[in-house]
Amino acid sequence: MIRDPKDLVRYTPAERANHWVVGICFILLALSGLAFFHPAYWPLTQLFGGPVWARILHPFIGVLMAVSFLALFLRFKDLNRITEVDKKWLRRIGEMVEGNDHDMPEQGKYNGGQKLLFWLLAICMLLLTLSGIVMWRAYFEFPILLVRLAVVIHAATAAVMIGLIFVHVYAAIWVKGTIRAMWYGTVTRAWAKQHHRAWYREMTGKS
Amino acid sequence: MALQSLDITRRSATTTPAPALRQTTEVAKLIDVSACIGCKACQVACMEWNDIRDEVGNCVGVYDNPVDLSAKSWTVMRFAEVEEGGRLQWLIRKDGCMHCADPGCLKACPSPGAIIQYANGIVDFQQENCIGCGYCITGCPFNIPRIAKEDGKAYKCTLCSDRVAVGQAPACVKSCPTGALQFGSKEQMKDYADKRIKDLKMRGFEKAGLYDPPGVGGTHVMYVLHHADRPELYSGLPPDPSISPLVSLWKGFAKPLATVAMAAVALGSLFHYVIKGPNEVSKKLEDELEKEEST
Ligand code: HEM
Ligand code: SF4
Ligand code: SF4
């Protein structure tokens, strides 16, 4: 059933690979970053071969994530323009969370929530990259005030981004039939019709 | 434990009590700037006792040599030429770690036990626990710690904690030929400073005073300054140092709060799933499409 020829292609292999690189980088960054965030998370340094390795590796993984995130951003930015329908959808997000998604305004490839998340994540990534470079003592030296500002921004943005990713991952788990889009790149027609009807019509030419 | 005979009052990135059973007196080093002749005997003694040799640098046209602190130069003399009251004054300050009672370096350090504060007030870096992140530099109000190129560890003055532990004065104090450096209990040093300040005032330095900045809870290295009203004259000694509010924000209550918030999002998701159940494609829609396809 997984490769039913009627399934709709949602992501190309390149898009999926790109997304997985970003996702793996993020997990590694969150785990290594949290280790420095508060003593309670310190044991996480052991996942990276000890605390010194965690300190060395974190910024390099960060650079890899920044580059691959940029690629992902360029691929999807046009699909994530926020429209009037999206704003209407966002105003009624409470109903969506209640689980009653059939009466929500009709959505294209991405709904208002997904688009909002996309832009929030992009802002987080930008802030984390800029502040991360300022904090990178092994290779850079910036004025002390800037470094102090950067550590606050980096820590706060990281916490926000981790929260956003929890929401992102949970949404994929909650809406059944979604995660396969990241494995095989396809979704069923029924899934598309229920969750992204405008996109379904665009892909199939049906109503 | 770093030094068996010294109790610890604070340990970086540690949320449980540090070993502290003994009654310890606070110590202090007093730097009487008015008695310093800039001979740098203390710099040499520091190198010798701690067995560190910085690279030989270049003369940059002033007496400062080396020009800045480094991982291998834990104390340097800073020479400032200042015109005061129509007279040229040569203000020479021995720079180095101030051993703050409320140390910004220790507050910022993420590595458990990389920075400790002994009960006697000495703030000491334990390089074997250091990860080289440089957060201590970000936290220090006096711009003291330096990361070594060779091993990526942070270094600074130890106030000769090893000597103090066995009842000796720091090496720099031993070497000073003019008595500009004194060492003893913090109380003794304050009394000694009072005498020196009275003397300076009698000799026309009306603003003479002690530098023991309250913004960092006082320090265990103190200065007697002839111009205590303007510490910045002494090669930029900060007039009112304290841990930057940005560092306090970064290391303060915000983090436990952020942890609670992240946990709330994760648990919120879990309970949403448990209470609302998964969002599945409706059976009706599936059947509809199936029919459509088979026709
Ligand atoms: C280009 C991207 C990034 C760069 C260059 C970077 C760099 C850094 C650096 C230099 C540090 C200090 C520790 C060390 O030296 O290793 C740090 C800490 C940290 N990073 Fe990143 N990072 C990046 C992306 C991220 C991302 C995406 C996250 C999100 C999860 C993150 C989370 C953290 C956290 C939580 C800390 C600890 C902050 C604290 O001590 O309060 N970083 N980062
Ligand atoms: S002067 Fe700087 S390095 Fe020394 S104890 Fe104070 S904060 Fe730490
Ligand atoms: S460089 Fe070392 S001593 Fe300084 S904050 Fe990082 S772990 Fe602590």
Side-chain angles (χ1 to χ4, degrees), chain A residues 25-26 29-38 54-66 125 128-133 135-137 151 154-155 157-159 161-162, chain B residues 110 131-133 135 250-251 255:
Chain A
C25 286
F26 178 83
L29 283 164
L31 293 174
S32 56
L34 281 176
F36 311 125
F37 187 81
H38 188 275
R55 187 271 297 169
I56 294 171
L57 291 174
H58 176 94
F60 287 106
I61 304 171
V63 170
L64 178 60
M65 175 164 175
M125 195 63 227
L128 282 166
T129 305
L130 294 178
S131 58
I133 287 170
M135 293 163 72
W136 202 351
R137 289 263 186 206
V151 291
H154 201 81
T157 314
M161 192 167 183
I162 290 169
Chain B
I131 63 169
C133 61
Y135 283 11
W250 171 43
K251 287 285 161 175
K255 282 191 165 165

Side-chain angles (χ1 to χ4, degrees), chain B residues 4 6 18 32 43 52 63 104 128 132 135 139 148 154 156 159 190 194 197 222 242 253 260-261 263 267 270 279:
Chain B
Q4 288 274 322
L6 292 184
D32 180 358
Q43 283 184 210
I52 41 171
Y63 276 79
E128 75 272 26
Y135 283 11
K156 69 159 190 72
L159 205 64
K190 279 182 167 169
D194 276 347
I197 291 160
M222 304 184 290
S242 66
F253 66 96
V260 171
L267 287 174
L270 176 73
N279 181 348

Side-chain angles (χ1 to χ4, degrees), chain B residues 31 44 56 59-60 67 92 122 149 160 176 190 236 251 279:
Chain B
I31 303 173
V44 175
V56 178
C59 175
V60 295
V67 273
I92 307 166
I122 295 178
K149 284 190 291 301
C160 288
C176 180
K190 279 182 167 169
K251 287 285 161 175
N279 181 348

Side-chain angles (χ1 to χ4, degrees), chain B residues 91-166:
Chain B
L91 305 180
I92 307 166
R93 176 166 69 90
K94 172 179 154 68
D95 196 9
C97 176
M98 301 294 287
H99 296 273
C100 310
D102 187 10
C105 56
L106 190 151
K107 185 169 190 156
C109 178
S111 181
I115 303 181
I116 55 176
Q117 183 180 43
Y118 294 116
N120 65 16
I122 295 178
V123 177
D124 216 356
F125 286 15
Q126 306 291 310
Q127 278 81 19
E128 75 272 26
N129 295 332
C130 170
I131 63 169
C133 61
Y135 283 11
C136 47
I137 307 173
T138 307
C140 172
F142 294 96
N143 184 21
I144 300 299
R146 298 288 186 274
I147 305 237
K149 284 190 291 301
E150 292 84 344
D151 58 7
K153 308 286 181 197
Y155 290 89
K156 69 159 190 72
C157 159
T158 67
L159 205 64
C160 288
S161 52
D162 48 352
R163 295 174 60 91
V164 173
V166 294

